[in-house]
Structure formats: C-alpha cells, structure tokens
Amino acid sequence: MFESRLLPHWLGECGRAVEALVFPWECSVCADPAAGAPFCPGCRRELLDASPSPCERCGLPMGPFADHTNGCYACRGRPLGFDRAIALGPYQGPIRDLCLRLKHEPNAWLAPWLVDVLLESNPLLRDLPSGTCVVPIPLHWRRYWERGYNQADALANALARRLRVRRLWPLKRVEPTPPLVTLARTERLRIMHDAFRVKSSASATLKGRTILLVDDILTTGATCGAAARALKRAGAARVIAVVIGRAEGKA
Ligand SMILES: [Zn+2]
Ligand SMILES: [Zn+2]
C-alpha cells in the first residue's frame, strides 16, 4: 500500500531524475560534472573534512594540536550565550562561496545539500535528546519584508526535515541592527543584547528543550549569543548554534 505521506518525497525524486536528464549537474564548487548532486565526490570530501578539529565551544577551526580544553584562544573565559557551536567549516574558500550563494533565494535549493554534509561530518547532530527543536535566527520583519527570504530559514527547514524534529519560530528581532562587523566588540554586545525576544506564546514549548539555533555564518557570536540568551531566559535547557561557515572573529 502506497503511503500518501511518501508521495511528495516520491514526486521530488522523480522531479530530480527528470531534471538530471535535462540539466546535467555540475559541481557547485569546481564546476566539474557531478552525478545527481551539487558537489563532485572530491569537493564533497573536502567539505566533510573542512573542520577536522574545531573548538568544541565556539566551533572555530583549530590545528590538530591546539589546546581547546574549556574553549580555544578566541572563546576561553568568555560567556557565549550558547552551549556550543557546530560549523561545517571555516568561512573561506568554497564554504564562503556557498554561503554567499545561499543568501539569494534562487539558491535556497542548496540548503538541504549543505545540511546533509553538515550532518555527515558531525556525529553529535545525529545523537540529540528527544524533544530537540530547530530554531532559525530571524531577520527583523522589515528586512524580511524587503528581502522576502531568510537563508537561516532555508537551513533550519532542511535540518528539521532531515532530523525529523520540530522547527519553531519563537524568536522575534526587536530592532534592525546596523552591520556589526565594523563595530568594536563592546559596542556590538551592547547593540545585540536586547536584539531578540521570545514570543510569549512560545515559552511553554521551549521549556527544558535542547535547541539547535541555526544561522548561515557565525563570526563574533554576538547574534547567536543574544538569541541563545533569549531562548534560555524562556526556559530552553541547552542551545547549540549550528552554522555553515565559522568566520575568524573572536567569539
Ligand atoms: Zn567539485
Ligand atoms: Zn573556542
């Protein structure tokens, strides 16, 4: 008996098969031919190995012999807001290019493929407590209205689907923030501190849960940190920041 819930999956598979015949795949990284996927085997391997020994606290890629007991040089002794961060790899080379492409809605189809590689490279994401939920970092509604798309949503949707867990939108961004990269750390933290609120209707759902907080890039950690603090104030037990690119910026 054909299960109706499998129908969308089946149609998706058929669609992809037809598409592969009409538009042969090429690798999104090196442009070589790729068989039914946006990464050729070599580039996929490089993505999987992009961050072999990251800091377990802030996700910063480290050398194999670096000491990251209780964090690394960038995060040790600093309160982060989240409990740990997981990144596919450093925000450079192909990962940077893929993150930049994902910022544009026509490339949202890349999100599930990036999430697949991220899941394969991080066993921790396959061993989560029951009740774990996925939460994207939201844009301010005005920015969302201008763009009509948030790449963090695309990644969060793909992650929730792959892990078969709930995706929630408990956060709202209180005010549009200016680009943070140019600001000094103290100024960034001051601006970000109250940047997120949890919708009152969401608090009961968050209580005691592990939250995978999803964004495309983590640089200073100020954005994910502020969102994680808001989630914890609302009762979340543990917040793991999950990103594609970890940029070299002090957490
Ligand atoms: Zn390739
Ligand atoms: Zn660290």
Side-chain angles (χ1 to χ4, degrees), residues 55-237:
C55 168
E56 288 190 6
R57 200 160 171 259
C58 75
L60 195 69
M62 310 297 296
F65 305 112
D67 170 22
H68 43 92
T69 325
N70 304 317
C72 65
Y73 72 89
C75 73
R76 196 174 294 129
R78 291 176 195 272
L80 297 176
F82 45 84
D83 295 277
R84 68 178 295 166
I86 289 174
L88 178 59
Y91 184 65
Q92 60 193 36
I95 290 184
R96 180 173 178 275
D97 292 344
L98 290 164
C99 284
L100 290 173
R101 289 179 64 175
L102 193 63
K103 283 187 190 296
H104 303 284
E105 190 171 11
N107 297 324
W109 62 271
L110 272 171
W113 296 94
L114 287 168
V115 162
D116 280 351
V117 183
L118 182 68
L119 287 173
E120 193 176 329
S121 65
N122 285 279
L124 185 99
L125 287 172
R126 302 193 297 270
D127 184 23
L128 294 160
S130 69
T132 296
C133 290
V134 172
V135 170
I137 292 275
L139 295 174
H140 185 265
W141 67 265
R142 199 177 296 121
R143 201 172 290 175
Y144 186 80
W145 186 74
E146 285 163 8
R147 298 186 63 207
Y149 166 71
N150 175 9
Q151 62 274 22
D153 283 343
L155 290 167
N157 289 344
L159 185 61
R161 214 173 298 129
R162 288 290 191 272
L163 293 175
R164 296 169 185 262
V165 302
R166 286 176 73 186
R167 188 242 301 100
L168 306 171
W169 285 281
L171 292 168
K172 60 180 176 188
R173 214 149 176 154
V174 177
E175 56 186 37
T177 48
L180 297 174
V181 196
T182 55
L183 302 175
R185 183 168 186 276
T186 46
E187 184 67 0
R188 263 194 324 259
L189 290 179
R190 190 188 64 73
I191 289 173
M192 287 309 303
H193 191 265
D194 291 322
F196 295 96
R197 296 259 193 286
V198 168
K199 298 168 194 166
S200 52
S201 56
S203 292
T205 321
L206 293 171
K207 285 242 171 347
R209 288 188 192 270
T210 293
I211 302 295
L212 302 179
L213 179 62
V214 178
D215 208 353
D216 55 343
I217 303 158
L218 190 145
T219 304
T220 65
T223 305
C224 279
R229 285 186 189 95
L231 291 168
K232 287 201 165 185
R233 281 197 297 272

Side-chain angles (χ1 to χ4, degrees), residues 16-41:
R16 272 190 285 279
V18 172
E19 192 183 292
L21 284 175
V22 181
F23 306 105
W25 289 85
E26 68 175 32
C27 175
S28 296
V29 177
C30 70
D32 277 0
F39 311 120
C40 70

